[in-house]
Amino acid sequence: MPLVAHLVRSHWKALTLAFLAVLGETLADILEPWPIKIVIDNQLQHKKLPGLFAEIVALFGDNRSPF
């Protein structure tokens, strides 16, 4: 068995955790603009949120800005 394969096999748990962390970070980077878009569209431009988003926001109170 090659040395690299032995090293990878002996550290598979740490490598799997690192891979999952990289995937999570990538997903977070892709989704990063969405909360800002929701705030700008919903609060500042007074546009209504589509379906599911409106229901989620309604759980936390009304959609009106105090300004």
Side-chain angles (χ1 to χ4, degrees):
M1 180 183 317
L3 178 61
V4 174
H6 176 68
L7 289 173
V8 169
R9 184 169 288 158
S10 64
H11 296 287
W12 72 271
K13 290 179 185 177
L15 289 170
T16 302
L17 182 61
F19 180 71
L20 292 174
V22 168
L23 285 178
E25 177 67 23
T26 302
L27 183 63
D29 285 344
I30 290 170
L31 296 176
E32 186 175 353
W34 281 97
I36 296 169
K37 178 192 180 323
I38 290 171
V39 168
I40 289 173
D41 287 351
N42 190 33
Q43 295 295 324
L44 301 179
Q45 295 181 354
H46 302 291
K47 292 181 182 177
K48 291 187 177 186
L49 289 172
L52 181 61
F53 288 125
E55 293 176 20
I56 292 171
V57 171
L59 293 174
F60 298 101
D62 60 5
N63 277 345
R64 288 179 274 164
S65 174
F67 303 109

